[in-house]
Amino acid sequence: VAVNLDGWTSMGRTNEIFAMSPAPIQVQYMGFPGSLGASYVHLLVTDKIISPPELAGVYAEKLVVLPNYYINDYRRQNWTPPPRPSGAALTAARKAKRLPYRD
């Protein structure tokens, strides 16, 4: 069993290896939370938030659905992003990162 932890990240370097099918069972997990759309990857370890089971038919891989949200952890299943800075806070954040800003 070979497990691809990169997916389409890291310039997809490991995909070239997986395309040569070095193992009889090849699995995609973690690095890219979605289908690779490749016939040489047999299983996608995912969760019901990233890959809703009713959409399993559109995936090239067979889904192995974990019981919890795997990107962060189960406590963050209903996570919402923090508020974005605005006004003076946004200007200060952009200055600190040396990004363009307007006074």
Side-chain angles (χ1 to χ4, degrees):
V1 175
V3 180
N4 185 341
L5 298 175
D6 285 345
W8 292 120
T9 62
S10 300
M11 307 296 270
R13 290 180 289 225
T14 57
N15 291 327
E16 294 172 0
I17 296 168
F18 276 75
M20 293 185 280
S21 298
I25 298 173
Q26 300 191 142
V27 181
Q28 168 62 27
Y29 179 61
M30 288 295 262
F32 179 75
S35 177
L36 292 180
S39 61
Y40 53 81
V41 177
H42 308 104
L43 303 170
L44 170 63
V45 179
T46 187
D47 62 54
K48 64 184 177 183
I49 292 170
I50 299 298
S51 306
E54 62 270 17
L55 297 178
V58 302
Y59 286 84
E61 308 88 350
K62 181 177 180 190
L63 301 183
V64 177
V65 181
L66 298 175
N68 297 310
Y69 183 55
Y70 85 92
I71 295 296
N72 293 306
D73 63 35
Y74 69 93
R75 285 176 252 145
R76 291 184 151 196
Q77 188 167 357
N78 297 316
W79 180 79
T80 55
R84 293 182 60 134
S86 62
L90 177 60
T91 299
R94 293 186 73 82
K95 279 183 181 179
K97 295 187 183 285
R98 297 181 180 184
L99 296 171
Y101 64 90
R102 290 184 226 140
D103 283 322

XYZ file of all heavy atoms in Angstrom:
806
model
N 0.851 -1.178 0.000
C 0.000 0.000 0.000
C 0.892 1.235 0.000
O 1.818 1.340 0.810
C -0.923 0.022 1.243
C -1.717 1.308 1.287
C -1.847 -1.177 1.247
N 0.621 2.162 -0.905
C 1.334 3.436 -0.959
C 0.343 4.547 -0.648
O -0.772 4.556 -1.167
C 1.958 3.649 -2.330
N 0.744 5.479 0.211
C -0.118 6.580 0.619
C 0.481 7.887 0.124
O 1.606 8.242 0.473
C -0.296 6.616 2.156
C -1.200 7.770 2.554
C -0.863 5.292 2.660
N -0.265 8.600 -0.693
C 0.155 9.884 -1.237
C -0.285 10.973 -0.273
O -1.476 11.191 -0.074
C -0.481 10.089 -2.616
C 0.004 11.346 -3.303
O 0.536 12.261 -2.694
N -0.187 11.386 -4.608
N 0.671 11.670 0.330
C 0.353 12.738 1.277
C 0.440 14.114 0.636
O 0.208 15.120 1.303
C 1.307 12.670 2.486
C 1.224 11.385 3.305
C 2.284 11.385 4.386
C -0.157 11.213 3.914
N 0.777 14.199 -0.637
C 0.903 15.487 -1.320
C -0.308 15.843 -2.166
O -0.741 16.979 -2.181
C 2.131 15.504 -2.233
C 3.424 15.637 -1.482
O 3.399 16.001 -0.301
O 4.475 15.366 -2.086
N -0.804 14.914 -2.925
C -1.886 15.229 -3.856
C -1.404 16.210 -4.900
O -0.361 16.027 -5.505
N -2.150 17.297 -5.088
C -1.768 18.318 -6.067
C -0.975 19.437 -5.413
O -0.790 20.485 -5.998
C -3.001 18.879 -6.772
C -3.665 17.880 -7.653
C -4.937 17.434 -7.543
C -3.107 17.199 -8.772
N -5.208 16.505 -8.508
C -4.096 16.345 -9.292
C -1.863 17.212 -9.384
C -3.885 15.529 -10.385
C -1.652 16.388 -10.482
C -2.652 15.572 -10.976
N -0.517 19.240 -4.184
C 0.340 20.228 -3.531
C 1.791 19.899 -3.848
O 2.095 18.898 -4.483
C 0.121 20.225 -2.001
O 0.489 18.942 -1.491
C -1.323 20.511 -1.646
N 2.713 20.718 -3.413
C 4.160 20.491 -3.619
C 4.494 20.224 -5.077
O 5.339 19.401 -5.396
C 4.653 19.330 -2.761
O 4.442 19.576 -1.419
N 3.802 20.904 -5.953
C 4.022 20.755 -7.392
C 3.700 19.346 -7.874
O 4.107 18.943 -8.943
C 5.464 21.117 -7.765
C 5.902 22.476 -7.274
S 4.980 23.806 -8.014
C 5.969 24.121 -9.423
N 2.991 18.560 -7.050
C 2.564 17.235 -7.461
C 3.687 16.271 -7.760
O 3.531 15.355 -8.546
N 4.836 16.460 -7.127
C 5.999 15.610 -7.436
C 5.725 14.134 -7.196
O 6.194 13.294 -7.946
C 7.209 16.071 -6.640
C 7.743 17.406 -7.122
C 8.919 17.786 -6.295
N 8.438 18.139 -4.969
C 8.832 19.188 -4.290
N 9.744 19.971 -4.774
N 8.331 19.454 -3.112
N 4.998 13.818 -6.133
C 4.761 12.400 -5.857
C 3.784 11.787 -6.857
O 3.756 10.574 -7.024
C 4.223 12.178 -4.430
O 3.036 12.929 -4.265
C 5.244 12.563 -3.393
N 3.003 12.607 -7.540
C 2.057 12.070 -8.518
C 2.771 11.355 -9.656
O 2.253 10.385 -10.207
C 1.157 13.176 -9.060
C 0.219 13.677 -7.995
O -0.219 12.922 -7.136
N -0.076 14.953 -8.027
N 3.958 11.827 -9.998
C 4.721 11.154 -11.052
C 5.086 9.733 -10.621
O 5.065 8.807 -11.428
C 5.979 11.948 -11.388
C 5.671 13.297 -12.007
C 6.903 14.165 -12.168
O 8.015 13.732 -11.808
O 6.737 15.287 -12.662
N 5.412 9.574 -9.356
C 5.734 8.239 -8.834
C 4.478 7.383 -8.799
O 4.484 6.236 -9.251
C 6.361 8.349 -7.430
C 7.694 9.082 -7.521
C 6.524 6.963 -6.804
C 8.272 9.501 -6.192
N 3.384 7.954 -8.289
C 2.138 7.189 -8.191
C 1.601 6.809 -9.570
O 0.956 5.775 -9.718
C 1.096 7.959 -7.378
C 1.243 7.756 -5.903
C 2.261 8.371 -5.200
C 0.375 6.931 -5.212
C 2.414 8.173 -3.848
C 0.515 6.717 -3.852
C 1.538 7.344 -3.166
N 1.851 7.616 -10.571
C 1.398 7.301 -11.926
C 2.051 6.029 -12.460
O 1.501 5.359 -13.320
C 1.685 8.470 -12.864
N 3.209 5.674 -11.901
C 3.888 4.433 -12.309
C 3.376 3.225 -11.517
O 3.858 2.117 -11.715
C 5.398 4.581 -12.124
C 5.995 5.599 -13.073
S 7.796 5.678 -12.971
C 7.997 6.675 -11.506
N 2.399 3.445 -10.642
C 1.766 2.381 -9.842
C 2.776 1.491 -9.114
O 2.856 0.290 -9.352
C 0.851 1.535 -10.717
O -0.187 2.329 -11.237
N 3.548 2.079 -8.178
C 4.535 1.282 -7.461
C 3.934 0.315 -6.441
O 4.630 -0.559 -5.947
C 5.396 2.329 -6.756
C 4.474 3.477 -6.554
C 3.589 3.481 -7.764
N 2.641 0.464 -6.135
C 1.989 -0.419 -5.166
C 0.656 -0.887 -5.721
O 0.016 -0.182 -6.500
C 1.777 0.322 -3.850
N 0.210 -2.066 -5.313
C -1.070 -2.570 -5.824
C -2.280 -1.784 -5.326
O -3.307 -1.738 -5.983
C -1.119 -4.014 -5.335
C -0.145 -4.096 -4.222
C 0.880 -3.036 -4.454
N -2.132 -1.145 -4.161
C -3.197 -0.284 -3.624
C -2.580 1.067 -3.338
O -1.586 1.171 -2.607
C -3.812 -0.881 -2.347
C -4.449 -2.229 -2.649
C -4.834 0.089 -1.741
C -4.943 -2.967 -1.431
N -3.165 2.122 -3.910
C -2.645 3.477 -3.731
C -3.742 4.355 -3.144
O -4.882 4.330 -3.602
C -2.112 4.014 -5.057
C -1.001 3.143 -5.578
C -0.252 3.733 -6.739
O 0.939 3.561 -6.803
N -0.907 4.415 -7.658
N -3.346 5.129 -2.137
C -4.297 5.893 -1.329
C -3.900 7.364 -1.315
O -2.722 7.697 -1.201
C -4.303 5.354 0.127
C -5.306 6.100 0.992
C -4.582 3.861 0.142
N -4.879 8.250 -1.408
C -4.682 9.693 -1.271
C -5.186 10.115 0.101
O -6.298 9.778 0.495
C -5.463 10.439 -2.362
C -5.579 11.924 -2.160
C -4.244 12.632 -2.163
O -3.278 12.199 -2.765
N -4.168 13.725 -1.448
N -4.351 10.847 0.859
C -4.735 11.278 2.202
C -4.027 12.563 2.569
O -2.855 12.740 2.286
C -4.385 10.174 3.206
C -4.722 10.502 4.641
C -6.026 10.749 5.030
C -3.738 10.554 5.611
C -6.336 11.040 6.343
C -4.036 10.837 6.930
C -5.338 11.082 7.289
O -5.642 11.380 8.587
N -4.710 13.448 3.204
C -4.245 14.666 3.865
C -3.812 15.813 2.966
O -4.395 16.853 3.031
C -3.121 14.387 4.858
C -3.570 13.678 6.102
S -4.664 14.663 7.085
C -3.550 15.322 8.280
N -2.746 15.687 2.201
C -2.143 16.833 1.526
C -3.096 17.613 0.647
O -3.051 18.838 0.606
N -3.959 16.941 -0.055
C -4.918 17.580 -0.953
C -6.294 17.031 -0.608
O -6.545 15.855 -0.804
C -4.566 17.285 -2.412
C -5.515 17.892 -3.393
C -5.482 19.242 -3.658
C -6.447 17.101 -4.036
C -6.367 19.808 -4.559
C -7.331 17.657 -4.945
C -7.284 19.012 -5.198
N -7.169 17.865 -0.064
C -8.483 17.355 0.376
C -9.488 17.232 -0.757
O -10.479 17.938 -0.815
C -8.918 18.393 1.405
C -8.320 19.658 0.897
C -7.007 19.267 0.280
N -9.229 16.351 -1.674
C -10.160 16.148 -2.772
C -9.647 15.068 -3.702
O -8.586 14.489 -3.490
N -10.410 14.833 -4.741
C -10.058 13.801 -5.711
C -8.862 14.228 -6.547
O -8.730 15.397 -6.911
C -11.248 13.534 -6.627
O -10.903 12.593 -7.614
N -8.015 13.274 -6.859
C -6.940 13.537 -7.814
C -7.427 13.311 -9.234
O -6.777 13.712 -10.188
C -5.741 12.632 -7.541
C -4.985 12.900 -6.248
C -3.824 11.930 -6.117
C -4.491 14.324 -6.192
N -8.565 12.643 -9.374
C -9.100 12.373 -10.691
C -8.215 11.439 -11.500
O -8.194 11.484 -12.719
N -7.472 10.600 -10.801
C -6.517 9.720 -11.462
C -6.905 8.263 -11.246
O -7.179 7.846 -10.133
C -5.119 9.966 -10.910
N -6.878 7.491 -12.303
C -7.269 6.081 -12.208
C -6.277 5.257 -11.399
O -6.612 4.186 -10.914
C -7.422 5.489 -13.600
O -6.185 5.563 -14.289
N -5.066 5.751 -11.237
C -4.050 4.995 -10.500
C -4.136 5.172 -8.982
O -3.403 4.528 -8.246
C -2.648 5.336 -11.003
C -2.324 6.812 -11.024
C -1.927 7.484 -9.871
C -2.405 7.534 -12.199
C -1.636 8.834 -9.891
C -2.112 8.879 -12.244
C -1.719 9.528 -11.077
O -1.437 10.861 -11.110
N -5.000 6.039 -8.491
C -5.230 6.180 -7.050
C -6.552 5.492 -6.747
O -7.591 5.850 -7.298
C -5.250 7.657 -6.607
C -5.551 7.769 -5.127
C -3.928 8.329 -6.928
N -6.522 4.500 -5.885
C -7.688 3.656 -5.655
C -8.608 4.152 -4.550
O -9.823 4.009 -4.655
C -7.229 2.224 -5.345
C -6.286 1.709 -6.374
N -4.934 1.616 -6.150
C -6.496 1.301 -7.641
C -4.346 1.155 -7.238
N -5.273 0.952 -8.164
N -8.030 4.714 -3.481
C -8.825 5.129 -2.321
C -8.507 6.565 -1.946
O -7.363 7.006 -2.035
C -8.514 4.230 -1.117
C -8.721 2.734 -1.298
C -8.149 1.976 -0.105
C -10.188 2.420 -1.481
N -9.534 7.283 -1.505
C -9.379 8.636 -0.981
C -9.878 8.632 0.461
O -11.054 8.371 0.708
C -10.181 9.637 -1.804
C -10.295 11.055 -1.240
C -8.928 11.712 -1.144
C -11.241 11.888 -2.089
N -8.972 8.877 1.405
C -9.359 8.980 2.806
C -9.842 10.411 3.010
O -9.110 11.375 2.776
C -8.179 8.654 3.748
C -8.606 8.790 5.199
C -7.672 7.242 3.478
N -11.093 10.552 3.428
C -11.728 11.859 3.478
C -12.736 11.890 4.626
O -12.709 11.044 5.506
C -12.389 12.152 2.111
O -12.873 13.490 2.093
C -13.494 11.175 1.772
N -13.606 12.871 4.616
C -14.688 12.946 5.594
C -15.941 13.436 4.890
O -15.904 13.836 3.733
C -14.313 13.846 6.780
C -14.046 15.275 6.376
O -14.908 15.898 5.729
O -12.982 15.806 6.716
N -17.068 13.408 5.595
C -18.338 13.744 4.951
C -18.493 15.234 4.658
O -19.366 15.625 3.896
C -19.507 13.237 5.794
C -19.622 13.889 7.145
C -20.738 13.280 7.945
C -20.775 13.922 9.324
N -21.773 13.342 10.168
N -17.632 16.075 5.234
C -17.686 17.508 4.941
C -16.920 17.798 3.653
O -17.401 18.499 2.771
C -17.135 18.322 6.128
C -18.092 18.172 7.311
C -16.954 19.786 5.756
C -17.570 18.723 8.604
N -15.718 17.257 3.542
C -14.906 17.463 2.344
C -15.502 16.728 1.145
O -15.550 17.254 0.040
C -13.460 16.976 2.581
C -12.794 17.750 3.725
C -12.625 17.058 1.314
C -12.644 19.223 3.485
N -15.964 15.504 1.371
C -16.503 14.675 0.293
C -17.862 14.112 0.716
O -17.933 13.016 1.272
C -15.546 13.519 -0.001
O -14.254 13.991 -0.259
N -18.936 14.853 0.461
C -20.257 14.342 0.840
C -20.519 12.976 0.196
O -20.297 12.797 -1.006
C -21.220 15.396 0.292
C -20.394 16.638 0.148
C -19.012 16.156 -0.185
N -20.958 11.997 0.985
C -21.168 10.639 0.458
C -22.094 10.588 -0.758
O -21.906 9.759 -1.646
C -21.766 9.888 1.650
C -21.237 10.608 2.848
C -21.181 12.056 2.430
N -23.056 11.501 -0.841
C -23.967 11.479 -1.991
C -23.269 11.867 -3.296
O -23.812 11.673 -4.380
C -25.187 12.369 -1.740
C -24.894 13.830 -1.536
C -24.646 14.229 -0.084
O -24.391 13.354 0.760
O -24.704 15.432 0.189
N -22.051 12.409 -3.205
C -21.289 12.754 -4.402
C -20.199 11.742 -4.715
O -19.343 11.969 -5.561
C -20.662 14.144 -4.241
C -21.646 15.302 -4.101
C -20.909 16.611 -3.905
C -22.573 15.383 -5.299
N -20.210 10.601 -4.035
C -19.170 9.579 -4.217
C -19.015 9.174 -5.683
O -17.907 8.862 -6.123
C -19.475 8.361 -3.358
N -20.070 9.203 -6.442
C -20.021 8.798 -7.841
C -19.193 9.697 -8.735
O -18.810 9.285 -9.824
N -18.899 10.920 -8.312
C -18.113 11.827 -9.147
C -16.614 11.723 -8.875
O -15.826 12.370 -9.549
C -18.579 13.297 -9.012
C -20.039 13.436 -9.381
C -18.311 13.834 -7.630
N -16.233 10.927 -7.901
C -14.826 10.758 -7.552
C -14.210 9.607 -8.341
O -14.855 8.581 -8.567
C -14.668 10.467 -6.050
C -14.902 11.684 -5.198
C -16.187 12.064 -4.826
C -13.843 12.456 -4.753
C -16.405 13.182 -4.049
C -14.049 13.576 -3.968
C -15.328 13.933 -3.622
O -15.538 15.047 -2.856
N -12.962 9.771 -8.740
C -12.243 8.694 -9.419
C -11.890 7.584 -8.426
O -11.783 6.428 -8.799
C -10.972 9.240 -10.070
N -11.703 7.960 -7.159
C -11.307 7.017 -6.118
C -12.533 6.522 -5.348
O -13.562 7.190 -5.312
C -10.376 7.699 -5.099
C -9.192 8.398 -5.695
C -9.450 9.833 -6.101
O -10.622 10.274 -6.094
O -8.495 10.524 -6.447
N -12.384 5.390 -4.695
C -13.401 4.932 -3.750
C -13.173 5.713 -2.454
O -12.035 5.883 -2.019
C -13.259 3.431 -3.495
C -14.305 2.931 -2.533
C -14.217 1.443 -2.321
C -15.325 1.096 -1.332
N -15.261 -0.227 -0.837
N -14.250 6.226 -1.847
C -14.124 7.030 -0.635
C -14.039 6.168 0.615
O -14.822 5.238 0.796
C -15.320 7.978 -0.501
C -15.550 8.974 -1.633
C -16.726 9.875 -1.307
C -14.303 9.783 -1.912
N -13.089 6.485 1.466
C -12.991 5.925 2.808
C -13.321 7.107 3.724
O -12.497 7.992 3.925
C -11.579 5.373 3.108
C -11.499 4.867 4.541
C -11.216 4.295 2.107
N -14.550 7.138 4.226
C -15.055 8.305 4.946
C -14.776 8.168 6.449
O -15.253 7.243 7.095
C -16.569 8.507 4.694
C -17.084 9.735 5.424
C -16.827 8.631 3.193
N -13.989 9.109 6.975
C -13.684 9.133 8.403
C -14.882 9.678 9.178
O -15.676 10.456 8.633
C -12.455 10.006 8.662
C -11.161 9.542 8.010
C -10.056 10.559 8.239
C -10.756 8.190 8.549
N -15.023 9.309 10.462
C -16.188 9.746 11.232
C -16.159 11.225 11.612
O -17.195 11.798 11.938
C -16.136 8.872 12.485
C -14.709 8.482 12.619
C -14.179 8.393 11.223
N -15.002 11.862 11.576
C -14.888 13.259 11.973
C -14.198 14.064 10.889
O -13.534 13.529 10.020
C -14.093 13.388 13.282
C -14.783 12.708 14.430
O -15.961 12.926 14.671
N -14.064 11.846 15.132
N -14.318 15.369 11.017
C -13.675 16.308 10.108
C -12.168 16.180 10.280
O -11.644 16.407 11.350
C -14.166 17.713 10.451
C -13.671 18.820 9.587
C -13.830 18.778 8.210
C -13.076 19.937 10.150
C -13.403 19.823 7.423
C -12.651 20.990 9.356
C -12.812 20.931 7.997
O -12.391 21.961 7.221
N -11.435 15.802 9.244
C -10.028 15.481 9.420
C -9.071 16.622 9.135
O -7.896 16.544 9.488
C -9.645 14.254 8.592
C -9.279 14.528 7.152
C -7.966 14.766 6.801
C -10.234 14.527 6.157
C -7.618 15.006 5.488
C -9.899 14.759 4.850
C -8.585 14.992 4.519
O -8.244 15.228 3.229
N -9.496 17.698 8.483
C -8.567 18.766 8.138
C -7.958 19.400 9.388
O -6.777 19.600 9.473
C -9.252 19.830 7.260
C -9.643 19.225 5.919
C -8.377 21.055 7.079
C -8.473 18.773 5.076
N -8.764 19.705 10.361
C -8.245 20.237 11.623
C -8.456 19.194 12.706
O -7.583 18.426 13.004
C -8.944 21.544 11.984
C -8.606 22.642 11.008
O -7.446 22.907 10.776
N -9.607 23.242 10.419
N -9.637 19.171 13.256
C -10.039 18.123 14.182
C -11.534 18.236 14.422
O -12.173 19.186 13.991
C -9.247 18.175 15.497
C -9.482 19.451 16.284
O -10.608 19.972 16.274
O -8.545 19.918 16.917
N -12.098 17.275 15.122
C -13.540 17.229 15.273
C -14.091 18.424 16.044
O -15.243 18.796 15.877
C -13.982 15.922 15.932
C -13.590 15.799 17.378
C -14.454 16.198 18.376
C -12.357 15.292 17.741
C -14.091 16.108 19.698
C -11.994 15.199 19.050
C -12.854 15.605 20.039
O -12.490 15.519 21.345
N -13.281 19.053 16.902
C -13.768 20.215 17.650
C -13.977 21.419 16.741
O -14.703 22.323 17.075
C -12.795 20.561 18.770
C -12.913 19.576 19.928
C -11.889 19.875 20.974
N -10.938 18.787 20.852
C -9.638 18.872 21.029
N -9.087 19.991 21.360
N -8.870 17.824 20.864
N -13.349 21.431 15.598
C -13.456 22.561 14.683
C -14.407 22.267 13.520
O -14.381 22.940 12.513
C -12.087 22.914 14.135
C -11.190 23.481 15.187
C -9.907 23.900 14.569
N -9.363 24.992 15.335
C -8.417 25.789 14.907
N -7.911 25.627 13.723
N -7.964 26.757 15.658
N -15.233 21.285 13.668
C -16.124 20.893 12.584
C -17.002 22.062 12.131
O -17.270 22.222 10.966
C -16.990 19.722 13.020
C -17.804 19.141 11.900
C -18.400 17.804 12.269
O -18.156 17.290 13.347
N -19.169 17.249 11.388
N -17.440 22.877 13.049
C -18.274 24.033 12.715
C -17.484 25.324 12.817
O -18.024 26.375 13.129
C -19.498 24.072 13.634
C -20.377 22.856 13.432
O -20.625 22.455 12.302
N -20.804 22.247 14.506
N -16.206 25.259 12.537
C -15.303 26.392 12.652
C -15.670 27.491 11.668
O -16.011 27.230 10.524
C -13.880 25.909 12.382
C -12.847 26.967 12.475
C -12.298 27.464 13.606
C -12.208 27.652 11.392
N -11.357 28.400 13.306
C -11.290 28.544 11.945
C -12.337 27.592 10.024
C -10.493 29.374 11.185
C -11.552 28.415 9.258
C -10.632 29.293 9.834
N -15.606 28.714 12.131
C -15.779 29.858 11.243
C -14.506 30.696 11.326
O -13.894 30.796 12.396
C -16.989 30.729 11.641
O -16.852 31.115 12.996
C -18.281 29.976 11.451
N -14.090 31.295 10.235
C -12.853 32.068 10.260
C -12.989 33.297 11.147
O -14.084 33.829 11.320
C -12.640 32.462 8.800
C -13.944 32.285 8.143
C -14.712 31.279 8.937
N -11.872 33.776 11.704
C -11.928 34.984 12.523
C -12.300 36.180 11.665
O -12.112 36.149 10.441
C -10.518 35.109 13.083
C -9.662 34.343 12.135
C -10.530 33.256 11.583
N -12.819 37.234 12.275
C -13.177 38.412 11.477
C -11.940 39.019 10.819
O -10.855 39.001 11.383
C -13.791 39.371 12.498
C -13.386 38.860 13.834
C -13.074 37.417 13.686
N -12.134 39.512 9.622
C -11.032 40.153 8.903
C -10.812 41.547 9.451
O -11.764 42.243 9.786
C -11.364 40.229 7.426
C -11.429 38.866 6.770
C -11.716 39.023 5.325
N -10.649 39.809 4.725
C -10.048 39.517 3.597
N -10.422 38.462 2.933
N -9.088 40.268 3.110
N -9.563 41.993 9.540
C -9.318 43.355 10.015
C -9.854 44.362 9.009
O -9.932 44.088 7.816
C -7.792 43.429 10.126
C -7.277 42.348 9.241
C -8.338 41.291 9.204
N -10.229 45.511 9.507
C -10.688 46.581 8.620
C -10.181 47.912 9.171
O -9.684 47.997 10.285
C -12.216 46.584 8.519
O -12.779 46.835 9.786
N -10.297 48.938 8.361
C -9.895 50.273 8.785
C -8.433 50.340 9.187
O -7.547 49.843 8.492
N -8.169 50.929 10.355
C -6.796 51.114 10.842
C -6.102 49.772 11.069
O -4.905 49.627 10.806
C -6.805 51.937 12.124
N -6.849 48.777 11.544
C -6.250 47.460 11.795
C -5.788 46.826 10.488
O -4.722 46.200 10.429
C -7.244 46.552 12.512
N -6.571 46.999 9.424
C -6.196 46.447 8.125
C -4.942 47.151 7.602
O -4.013 46.507 7.119
C -7.340 46.577 7.129
C -7.043 46.092 5.716
C -6.662 44.618 5.710
C -8.228 46.342 4.813
N -4.913 48.470 7.711
C -3.749 49.235 7.260
C -2.506 48.799 8.021
O -1.451 48.571 7.429
C -3.989 50.747 7.437
O -5.117 51.117 6.638
C -2.783 51.562 6.999
N -2.615 48.644 9.342
C -1.471 48.221 10.155
C -1.011 46.825 9.755
O 0.198 46.572 9.655
C -1.837 48.262 11.638
N -1.947 45.917 9.506
C -1.600 44.555 9.108
C -0.895 44.561 7.758
O 0.101 43.854 7.555
C -2.848 43.688 9.065
N -1.380 45.361 6.825
C -0.761 45.421 5.500
C 0.623 46.049 5.576
O 1.559 45.596 4.919
C -1.668 46.155 4.524
C -2.950 45.359 4.244
C -3.785 45.998 3.162
N -3.208 45.830 1.849
C -3.337 44.743 1.084
N -4.017 43.721 1.521
N -2.780 44.688 -0.100
N 0.781 47.101 6.399
C 2.101 47.717 6.576
C 3.078 46.705 7.164
O 4.223 46.608 6.723
C 2.004 48.926 7.518
C 1.513 50.189 6.878
C 1.542 51.313 7.908
C 1.030 52.601 7.343
N 1.040 53.684 8.345
N 2.643 45.962 8.172
C 3.512 44.994 8.842
C 3.991 43.924 7.869
O 5.117 43.426 8.001
C 2.777 44.356 10.012
N 3.178 43.578 6.897
C 3.556 42.550 5.916
C 4.152 43.157 4.647
O 4.369 42.459 3.655
C 2.343 41.685 5.580
C 1.874 40.890 6.779
C 0.783 39.928 6.387
C 0.271 39.187 7.578
N 1.153 38.159 8.051
N 4.356 44.476 4.685
C 4.915 45.204 3.542
C 4.084 45.031 2.277
O 4.609 44.847 1.180
C 6.364 44.808 3.300
C 7.240 45.159 4.459
C 8.656 44.799 4.218
N 9.432 45.167 5.394
C 10.716 45.042 5.471
N 11.413 44.573 4.473
N 11.359 45.386 6.565
N 2.777 45.056 2.458
C 1.845 44.970 1.339
C 1.329 46.355 1.002
O 1.353 47.251 1.851
C 0.671 44.062 1.712
C 1.030 42.611 1.983
C -0.173 41.868 2.556
C 1.506 41.928 0.723
N 0.840 46.564 -0.209
C 0.293 47.880 -0.555
C -0.881 48.233 0.347
O -1.660 47.385 0.752
C -0.185 47.700 -2.010
C 0.429 46.451 -2.491
C 0.764 45.622 -1.312
N -0.988 49.497 0.666
C -2.104 49.975 1.507
C -2.384 51.423 1.152
O -1.590 52.108 0.529
C -1.756 49.826 2.992
C -0.582 50.686 3.433
C -0.769 51.985 3.914
C 0.730 50.215 3.323
C 0.299 52.763 4.285
C 1.803 50.991 3.697
C 1.581 52.271 4.181
O 2.635 53.045 4.542
N -3.561 51.851 1.551
C -3.962 53.256 1.392
C -4.158 53.867 2.757
O -4.788 53.276 3.614
C -5.271 53.350 0.612
C -5.134 52.997 -0.825
C -6.446 53.206 -1.538
N -6.630 52.011 -2.349
C -7.747 51.380 -2.542
N -8.863 51.830 -2.028
N -7.809 50.308 -3.280
N -3.606 55.063 2.960
C -3.837 55.767 4.233
C -5.197 56.413 4.240
O -5.759 56.767 3.276
C -2.763 56.824 4.482
C -1.473 56.174 4.955
O -1.553 55.207 5.721
O -0.402 56.667 4.559
